Amino acid sequence: MVKACVCGAAGGIGQPLSLLLKLNPLVTELALYDVVNALGVAADLSHIASPAQVTGYLPPDNGAERALEGSDIVIIPAGVPRKPGMTRDDLFVCINAGICATLAQAIATACPKAFILVISNPVNSTVPVFAEVLKKAGVFDPKKLFGVTHLDIVRASTFVSAVVGKPAEASGYTVPVIGGHAGVTILPLLSQSKPAIPSDILADKEKRDALVYRIQFGGDEVVKAKDGAGSATLSMAQAGAEFAKFVLEAAFGGKSKVVQAYVYLGADSGGAAVQKEIGTELEYFSVPIELGSSGIEKILSLGKLDEYEQGLLGAAVKELGPSIEKGATFQPSPPKL
Ligand SMILES: NC(=O)c1ccc[n+]([C@@H]2O[C@H](COP(=O)([O-])OP(=O)(O)OC[C@H]3O[C@@H](n4cnc5c(N)ncnc54)[C@H](O)[C@@H]3O)[C@@H](O)[C@H]2O)c1
């Protein structure tokens, strides 16, 4: 029996993500929470013939806690998305940090042992917000807190296939992406792609610059094309559901898996080795992790970065420090009486 809860389930990401979770055979109970329309989305999904029993919750009568109660995994795309001209950081200032702090508190009360997958942006700061609230509540398990950066890996693999000139499905490129989840903090390790990217592409600076830029700023393509109607939702839902599937399969299906996610480096002794590799004491970084029955089984080495990637690392680290600090020191304003 596996209970999954989606917070922000009626949104652009939340709805297709909830649909994909409803179709995951490992999920037997699916609770949908949102400040609007969660009951409608739940009623709609409940007509699909798959094992998960779907229920919807709105804020009245401690709706968040009731939705979260006993959840094994919580996936959070709650908040507001970007509009053209906005950075992910602008979202933190406007509203998302407060939403994340409130949801973290509800998780601490209702399902402190759940795997927590944070999609709400800016991930570089919202994950530290979650960690701090959970620490204060005395229930922080760093092995179970993940900033979802999986869309960056999906994009990298797709865009590499396009440059190489082979269909993504057939070529099956897998490109590790480390660092963070915003602009230059997104660090694609093209040199570690499997299968290897043809060396003439990697050696061509102009081609490589363009490919790296597209991976780092691919989200902007969607924001621009949607022209004010939000950011990536369908690709994010697919990436989020896939990442949730990996976590669930490792936890409940005995299948371990190596993925990348933005995590607290203190979660495993491998985190200290990564800090040495990146030459800083940043507390959070998107790293390769081995998933197991209790979440992060191991934090793995970043592997060898080539000279080009070493250059990208400097810029990523510089931007990540202040973003982490902003999340870790965020003080939710007291509720208005
Ligand atoms: N991690 C990533 O790779 C990635 C990719 C794309 C978007 N995002 C982020 O995901 C978030 C959601 O994007 P979206 O396009 O689905 O936005 P959206 O506005 O369509 O949906 C957000 C939903 O959250 C709900 N919500 C607001 N406050 C809430 C609260 N306190 N509790 C529960 N639900 C609440 C809203 O009612 C809405 O239904 C944004 O922050 C966006 O930037 C992350």
Side-chain angles (χ1 to χ4, degrees):
M1 301 291 276
V2 174
K3 178 174 177 181
C5 179
V6 180
C7 297
I13 296 170
Q15 291 202 34
L17 173 65
S18 300
L19 168 63
L20 294 168
L21 290 168
K22 169 75 172 125
L23 299 177
N24 183 326
L26 277 176
V27 178
T28 51
E29 210 182 329
L30 180 61
L32 307 184
Y33 174 68
D34 201 302
V35 292
V36 293
N37 200 25
L39 306 187
V41 177
D44 195 354
L45 289 182
S46 72
H47 291 188
I48 296 171
S50 71
Q53 295 297 308
V54 189
T55 45
Y57 301 84
L58 292 166
D61 306 321
N62 290 327
E65 282 82 358
R66 285 186 294 120
L68 290 161
E69 192 70 49
S71 292
D72 298 291
I73 184 167
V74 184
I75 306 141
I76 303 139
V80 291
R82 285 188 293 157
K83 300 233 160 38
M86 282 175 95
T87 64
R88 292 178 179 89
D89 218 31
D90 295 331
L91 298 174
F92 187 84
V93 183
C94 65
I95 190 160
N96 288 359
I99 292 174
C100 287
T102 307
L103 290 171
Q105 192 57 58
I107 290 169
T109 308
C111 54
K113 295 196 181 311
F115 298 103
I116 303 170
L117 277 53
V118 182
I119 292 175
S120 310
N121 269 322
V123 166
N124 294 351
S125 305
T126 51
V127 172
V129 169
F130 269 89
E132 290 306 314
V133 173
L134 296 168
K135 275 186 212 165
K136 274 199 194 105
V139 296
F140 179 44
D141 180 352
K143 292 186 185 299
K144 291 189 161 182
L145 177 63
F146 306 90
V148 180
T149 56
H150 194 59
L151 179 55
D152 301 321
I153 291 114
V154 171
R155 281 186 180 134
S157 306
T158 307
F159 299 162
V160 163
S161 297
V163 168
V164 175
K166 290 184 179 159
E169 198 55 31
S171 57
Y173 280 96
T174 305
V175 178
V177 181
I178 59 165
H181 174 68
V184 299
T185 69
I186 298 171
L187 204 173
L189 299 180
L190 298 178
S191 68
Q192 294 183 23
S193 167
K194 284 195 183 122
I197 298 169
S199 52
D200 58 311
I201 294 178
L202 291 187
D204 182 330
K205 185 165 177 325
E206 214 170 293
K207 271 196 188 150
R208 189 162 181 178
D209 282 349
L211 184 53
V212 167
Y213 182 86
R214 189 162 188 222
I215 295 165
Q216 291 182 324
F217 295 92
D220 293 357
E221 289 180 16
V222 182
V223 172
K224 198 166 163 229
K226 288 196 175 178
D227 196 18
S231 57
T233 53
L234 302 173
S235 51
M236 181 60 241
Q238 162 61 19
E242 187 166 75
F243 187 78
K245 179 169 106 64
F246 295 151
V247 172
L248 290 176
E249 283 178 350
F252 302 104
K255 272 194 206 171
S256 84
K257 173 101 187 158
V258 173
V259 290
Q260 291 96 55
Y262 184 73
V263 303
Y264 179 67
L265 292 177
D268 172 63
S269 57
V274 167
Q275 284 175 327
K276 280 204 185 116
E277 286 178 315
I278 59 179
T280 83
E281 291 186 351
L282 286 180
E283 288 192 307
Y284 297 84
F285 207 73
S286 186
V287 285
I289 51 176
E290 187 181 318
L291 292 170
S293 57
S294 47
I296 299 172
E297 197 79 31
K298 278 188 202 144
I299 293 180
L300 304 169
S301 161
L302 303 179
K304 190 171 162 20
L305 274 59
D306 69 12
E307 206 181 317
Y308 186 102
E309 290 155 356
Q310 286 291 348
L312 296 179
L313 178 63
V317 165
K318 195 166 161 215
E319 190 171 308
L320 267 172
S323 301
I324 293 168
E325 177 72 11
K326 197 186 277 190
T329 55
F330 174 71
Q331 294 293 335
S333 34
K336 290 192 185 86
L337 298 173

